[in-house]
């Protein structure tokens, strides 16, 4: 294994290689995969837009054992790691990877081969370039900054490929629900559920929101259900019952004696 990579548990028997100083899977990915599997537990075809190193893709594959999946990723380093992580997962026969920008019609068409999807997921970056410093590391830059667009692009693509009765699950900046609610109608989608995610209680409030959407004809036009916020750590920095529930859901060990994070 390359020295710059770490080998980390993801879900059950699935582990991933990720760059020690590069983009790493995080709470965004875990919360999105958790909501996605609960939103479409019977999905037989699933797609992850901008799949990165394959974290959400593989968590969904782990929980939905009958599903066939597609991951689309444009960033070269992340795509290479996704390919390696899928190959070592023992589930490569169910997963197809597409290297390209899903905003490109040819790339989206290649992903769509086989028909629409019962479940579409995405964990887009949610910081406009003007609001932060772009990392000189290409992988980190594309994972954090909206260099290829933001959640609006994800919704537009998802609206084209989600099947009748299917669900779209994406995360987005908690401060900007308008970006979801304002884009969904034009994409042929309607928001049906949202859940705020708070990394640590008593700090800055929700960091991001996980949204579940349906095709406009599959759900009534009304205010989306607001699920209770998921709080990962308490004010002292200790993992909460919510955090333990996430780990148990993906069959990872829970250490009840773990010291709080400083």
């Amino acid at each position: 294994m390359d020295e710059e990579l770490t080998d980390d548990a993801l879900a059950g028997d699935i582990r991933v290689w990720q760059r020690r100083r590069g983009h790493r899977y995080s709470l965004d990915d875990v919360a999105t995969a958790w909501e996605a599997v609960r939103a479409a537990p019977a999905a037989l075809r699933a797609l992850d837009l901008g799949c990165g190193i394959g974290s959400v893709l593989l968590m969904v594959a782990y929980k939905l054992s009958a599903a066939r999946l597609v991951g689309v990723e444009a960033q070269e380093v992340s795509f290479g790691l996704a390919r390696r992580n899928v190959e070592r997962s023992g589930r490569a026969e169910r997963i197809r990877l597409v290297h390209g920008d899903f905003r490109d019609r040819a790339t989206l068409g290649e992903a769509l081969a086989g028909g629409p999807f019962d479940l579409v997921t995405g964990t887009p970056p949610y910081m406009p370039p003007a609001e932060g410093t772009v990392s000189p590391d290409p992988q980190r830059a594309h994972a954090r900054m909206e260099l290829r667009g933001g959640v609006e692009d994800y919704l537009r693509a998802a609206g084209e490929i989600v099947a009748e009765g299917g669900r779209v699950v994406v995360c987005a900046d908690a401060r900007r629900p308008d970006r979801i609610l304002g884009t969904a109608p034009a994409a042929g989608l309607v928001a049906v559920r949202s859940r705020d995610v708070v990394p640590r209680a008593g700090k800055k409030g929700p960091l991001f929101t996980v949204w579940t959407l349906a095709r406009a004809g599959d759900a009534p036009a009304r205010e989306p259900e607001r699920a209770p916020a998921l709080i990962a750590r308490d004010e002292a920095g200790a993992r909460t019952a919510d955090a333990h529930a996430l780990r148990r859901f993906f069959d990872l060990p829970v250490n009840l004696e773990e010291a709080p994070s400083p």
Side-chain angles (χ1 to χ4, degrees), residues 200 232-234 236-240 244 254-262:
R200 185 163 175 167
R233 292 184 181 269
D234 62 22
R239 292 188 194 271
T240 64
H244 291 156
V254 171
N255 180 8
L256 296 177
E257 305 302 320
E258 181 183 11
S261 175

Side-chain angles (χ1 to χ4, degrees), residues 47-51 72-73 100-112 115-124 148-163 167-170 179-180 183-189 213-215:
L47 180 143
D48 189 36
L49 294 166
C51 69
V72 183
E73 176 56 41
D101 187 335
F102 63 76
R103 296 178 304 168
D104 177 76
R105 302 301 306 175
T107 298
L108 195 61
E110 183 180 350
L112 191 55
F117 295 90
D118 307 311
L119 175 63
V120 180
T121 54
T123 51
R148 289 192 175 97
V151 69
E152 294 86 355
D153 297 278
Y154 283 68
L155 293 185
R156 283 189 284 267
E160 294 188 38
I161 60 179
V162 66
R167 290 294 183 265
V168 177
V169 181
V170 297
R179 295 186 65 177
I180 295 287
T183 302
L189 301 171
L213 304 98
R215 295 197 342 168

Side-chain angles (χ1 to χ4, degrees), residues 204-226:
K204 299 179 180 179
L207 175 63
F208 63 93
T209 303
V210 181
W211 293 87
T212 301
L213 304 98
R215 295 197 342 168
D218 294 340
R222 63 187 181 197
E223 288 294 313
E225 171 195 357
R226 287 186 60 85

Side-chain angles (χ1 to χ4, degrees), residues 132-199:
T133 302
V134 178
S135 171
D137 182 286
Q139 188 200 30
R140 295 183 67 182
H142 281 91
R144 177 175 171 78
M145 311 296 287
E146 297 177 355
L147 301 179
R148 289 192 175 97
V151 69
E152 294 86 355
D153 297 278
Y154 283 68
L155 293 185
R156 283 189 284 267
E160 294 188 38
I161 60 179
V162 66
E164 181 178 351
R167 290 294 183 265
V168 177
V169 181
V170 297
C171 67
D173 187 343
R175 302 168 299 176
R176 295 291 308 276
D178 57 295
R179 295 186 65 177
I180 295 287
L181 299 175
T183 302
L189 301 171
V190 59
V192 297
R193 176 182 168 92
S194 68
R195 186 190 294 275
D196 288 339
V197 179
V198 180

